[in-house]
Amino acid sequence: APETDSAALDAVIVGAGFAGLYMLHKLRGLGLRAVVLEAGDGVGGTWYWNRYPGARVDVEAMHYSYSFSTELEQEWEWQERYPAQPEILRYLGHVADRFELRRDIRLSTRVVAASYDEVTARWSVSTDRGDSYEARYCVMATGCLSSSRVPDIEGLEAFEGPRYHTAQWPHEGVDFTGQRVGVIGTGSSGIQSIPLIAEQAAELTVFQRTPNYSLPARNRPLDPAERDAVKHHYPRLRAEARNSPVGLPGLSRPTGGALAASEEERRARYTEQWEKGLLHGLVSTYTDILTDPDANRTVAEFVREKIRETVSDPATADLLCPTGHPFGTKRPALDTGYYATYNRDNVRLVDIRRAPITRINARGVVTAGAEYPVDALVFATGFDAMTGTLNAIDIRGRGGLALRDKWAGGPVTYLGLQSAGFPNLFLVAGPGSPSVLTNMVAAIEQHVEWIADCVDHVRQSGAVAIEALEDAEADWVGHVNEVSGAMLYSEADSWYLGANVPGKARVFMPYAGGLGAYRRRCDAVAATGYEGFVLSTSQAPERT
Ligand code: NA7
């Protein structure tokens, strides 16, 4: 992009996924000039990268979609209840076209650094192409699960076959016909891809460190009448979603605790939710599923029973039953035929908790005690979540303060939207935001709209910068910790806590108070003239 462009820029947005696309549209609506810098060769963010077999959304698409345009929500026809990656990518491509976003998106452009100049009160954002963009505002729409991780296993480079990470899947797809395939990792990506790889491969070996809870998705094509009914009721459903804890309509608001109910009542309620195929169904049955270990055990045991009913070999079933962490403290998966896959003759499960992988050699995977030769290896090993992508960018605020240094002991933000010392830098779905515990698109819309209103406020006030105050930030971090501390989340080694990345600070990053409560808090902050933020009305004096 020509350097001359940037003199006229108001904002640089990093990332062209759900967040970045809407942010661009929103800022344009304010009359601002913004540009989106995107590392991928196409738009779509998460849905651009994650092309592994079986990659699907785990929130119903009729709700996991933008609500900001009535025309868009009425004209788009979702084909499935839980569409696979290509359908969601088509949707985002359509959004980019429909709102003419592409002319301001620079693809194949990875942001490597961003620094704030106190004299001009502007950000300078540099890319791996060697150019830079200057603008008053910088919005990091970089995603929560966008830095994929391959564990540092000795001998990895010696493996002679192809290696894949689920989030770096080749665009042309992979044909495993006739091959012996190894999959490492049984989070959502492993759970979604394993059934399909098992159908194709000659042999599949799954290396499991931690069994996860997975619920049947009950995915199906959407019939037109059902689609129309949702569209007809969108105004009510979207309003309900926006103010609900998880950003979705229709979930029951529990009133009582699980242990106050009889075993029969509990079973009836769990069964009802199990049949519905909804990610947040089981946790919304009773008030105390995520706070009381005994209440949680009732639902965890219900899921384990389902696993034992499905998997014919009792030893395999046992290995698949999660016992080390409470239900819902890691994000459960929604699957299609996951547990039944282990009834196939060509699939075996290897417990690498008991006998860890010691190395990889030219032929395959070596554990303490056995060697598993494979032709191809799939890493479904997840991400350096929530902070990985931000910390990979050299972000410098006032006085040259590096965000990654400030966050060395864990991320600190005010409302998940800003960090003190970094004026005019906004985060979408950042640490301290509820996004990953909710319907991500509903959370993104809230963040984007709040940021746009905030930028508008700064401009209307004749100010040049807005920055979170340290006290407000400390209070927010305290509140985030207090809310999750009263819940069972710390009992799981999850990516919410950074526990999957060796050496990462163990801090519960998301705000667990729910989207509705979060929205009310953000609205109150805006209504009181951006309490907890400071506006600078003039550019900082030149330092000597
Ligand atoms: P996840 O949920 O982080 O899952 C990663 C999996 O890989 C998980 O089973 C890990 O076991 C396993 N893993 C990670 N590192 C290793 C090593 N070193 N050795 C063995 N096994 C390992 O990532 P996903 O991509 O599946 O899903 C991410 C989110 O995307 C998901 O929550 C949905 O919101 C969508 P562990 O549990 O750490 O023992």
Side-chain angles (χ1 to χ4, degrees), residues 258-268 286:
L259 302 172
S262 71
E263 167 141 27
E264 216 178 355
E265 285 167 333
R266 276 199 302 267
R267 176 168 297 275
Y286 294 103

Side-chain angles (χ1 to χ4, degrees), residues 472-507:
E473 177 173 272
D475 285 350
W476 181 250
V477 171
H479 178 56
V480 168
N481 288 333
E482 191 187 334
V483 172
S484 68
M487 303 173 83
L488 299 171
Y489 283 114
S490 64
E491 292 187 29
D493 289 331
S494 66
W495 56 256
Y496 298 145
L497 275 155
N500 63 320
V501 179
K504 190 166 171 175
R506 193 178 169 98
V507 173

Side-chain angles (χ1 to χ4, degrees), residues 58 145 149 151 166 184-190 209-210 330-331 352-353 380-383 493 495 500:
D58 55 13
L145 297 162
R149 271 192 73 248
T166 46
I184 301 177
T186 50
S188 189
S189 303
R209 185 165 71 180
T210 312
K330 282 189 172 196
R331 191 179 165 104
I352 54 169
R353 164 91 40 195
T381 43
F383 303 86
D493 289 331
W495 56 256
N500 63 320

